[in-house]
Amino acid sequence: MKADLLKRFPIMLGLFILSSLLLAACSGGEGEAGENADGNTTITMMHYYNKELGEPAPMAQLEKIEEFEEQNSDVIIEQEVQSHDNYETKVKTLAAGNELPDVFLIKGSMTQQFADNGQALLLNDFLAEKEGWEEQFIDGAFTPFQVEDEIYAMPISGGSSHLIYYNKALFEEAGISEFPSTWDEFLGAIDRLNESGVTPIALGNKGKWVLNSSYLSTLANRYTGSEWFDNILAKNGEASFTDQEFVDALSAIDQLANNNAFNSNMNSIDNSEQQAMYMNEQAAMFIEGGWAAGSIANNAPEAVLNNTEVAIFPEIEGAQGEQNTVSGGGGWAYAINPNVSEEKLEKIKEFIYHLTNQEAGRLILEKGQMPAVVVPDSDEMELPVLTRKLLTLFEESKFVPIYDTVLDPALIEVMNSNMQNMTIDQVTPQEAAENIQAEYSK
């Protein structure tokens, strides 16, 4: 056996050297200082920005990435692009294997996990390095990305995760002259739209998040009020997902499904396809966040764009919460891998600042989405008509938390799956609430 090993040793040594060379090649030949052999610095980055979708903040960020590379010829941004629906699973898989890129996106519900596992760099000192930088962000922008007072990611955009985009011409053809002011009138409008032969609401819930982010987070607050959700977060025993108010919120979504508000393939198409249904006038409405405004402004036929108005869920009679609330705040944010070298970190800091400063915010606003920073003199900017409509609507609304940016991911998965099943009559609202509570109680 020993003689056999001695014969194989040169071969094993050769394989070891070859493997080492291959690993060095795969990492770009990066040295301890974070630079490649040619003196350039490669920053690996993962995101879900898709040019084809034309969404405002992603489009603005892609332009700023390109601009940064042009201004820093010694830096290469190596981008890995995932679909929005696959992104969360991918980044968690990489985190589990300790294979995260240098820069990656997280949402608020991931913050605690990444902080606990030491997989996101603490950014308080970084923010303090640029005088006045932290004060440029809108109130509450950092909240989803904080653990106590420690900040783990830099937010990009703000705004709401709930907006109703509707085609007023299709409404008028169905005999609806104004957007409904109460939930009962909203259900009546859905009946009229069905009678006129158009799908009332295009829904693409294949990725499961649309019903949660863009429907439930707003509806539930209308029924429960904010104190109930604070108690849920505190886990102090003062609130339960089986409380009647939360069941009523689930029932409202169930009511929409039972009244044929949605297209029958709602669980097999995604949010970009629901937008396409609306732009093709196959549906009179779709419900999504403020980020969809840019997609409509850039991609919708002129007639559809000119007839597009925005609204929020109307008042729900008898519900105990405030009725002008809209789920919103910071969505996704940049986190930094804490294992990068100090030299590379300096380049990354400049890169992140370039993507999240007020100039980047101005570009996001110009393209039609609310940035996470205050944009000076925005009143004087030439903005798309749809963006102005959003700004006017938000002046009269109040932001409340987006569930899937603050609740535990495992709980959100149970919540999302049960809502998807509820729309096809596999569970009742009461059963869905009990399943959600069972996960919450673990």
Side-chain angles (χ1 to χ4, degrees), residues 348-364:
I348 291 173
K349 286 179 178 179
E350 289 302 319
F351 179 48
I352 297 296
Y353 181 71
H354 189 81
L355 296 179
T356 59
N357 61 18
Q358 286 181 315
E359 284 304 310
R362 177 174 291 273
L363 186 59
I364 290 173

Side-chain angles (χ1 to χ4, degrees), residues 258-279:
N258 289 335
N259 285 24
N260 298 316
F262 307 129
N263 40 297
S264 59
N265 60 346
M266 57 191 157
N267 290 324
S268 58
I269 66 172
D270 61 22
N271 66 309
S272 62
E273 292 170 294
Q274 75 178 12
Q275 291 177 21
M277 278 189 68
Y278 176 80
M279 286 188 262

Side-chain angles (χ1 to χ4, degrees), residues 317-354:
E317 305 94 321
Q320 67 178 13
E322 294 180 80
Q323 298 301 302
N324 65 337
T325 55
V326 177
S327 54
W332 292 81
Y334 291 116
I336 300 174
N337 189 328
N339 296 320
V340 298
S341 67
E342 289 187 14
E343 290 77 7
K344 179 183 274 192
L345 180 58
E346 292 308 309
K347 299 286 187 182
I348 291 173
K349 286 179 178 179
E350 289 302 319
F351 179 48
I352 297 296
Y353 181 71
H354 189 81

Side-chain angles (χ1 to χ4, degrees), residues 67-83:
E67 184 181 80
F68 183 82
E69 286 189 304
E70 290 172 356
Q71 296 174 358
N72 297 271
S73 58
D74 60 335
V75 178
I76 299 166
I77 308 299
E78 192 173 281
Q79 303 174 59
E80 179 178 347
V81 185
Q82 298 290 322
S83 72

Side-chain angles (χ1 to χ4, degrees), residues 370-420:
M370 304 301 114
V373 293
V374 175
V375 176
D377 303 322
S378 61
D379 291 346
E380 300 172 6
M381 292 173 63
E382 289 188 14
L383 297 176
V385 173
L386 198 52
T387 303
R388 282 286 176 213
K389 290 177 181 176
L390 262 61
L391 287 171
T392 302
L393 186 66
F394 292 149
E395 288 175 0
E396 302 170 354
S397 307
K398 178 181 177 182
F399 283 154
V400 293
I402 310 167
Y403 277 12
D404 61 6
T405 66
V406 291
L407 291 174
D408 182 81
L411 178 62
I412 290 298
E413 176 57 33
V414 172
M415 196 176 280
N416 290 353
S417 295
N418 272 273
M419 281 195 291
Q420 196 177 63

Side-chain angles (χ1 to χ4, degrees), residues 119 142 182 251 291 326 350:
Q119 292 178 310
F142 288 109
T182 68
S251 299
W291 57 81
V326 177
E350 289 302 319

Side-chain angles (χ1 to χ4, degrees), residues 203 205 208-217 253 262 267 416 419-420 423:
L203 173 59
N205 197 42
K208 301 182 182 178
W209 59 268
V210 174
L211 276 180
N212 193 321
S213 292
S214 300
Y215 286 66
L216 183 65
S217 298
I253 294 175
F262 307 129
N267 290 324
N416 290 353
M419 281 195 291
Q420 196 177 63
T423 58

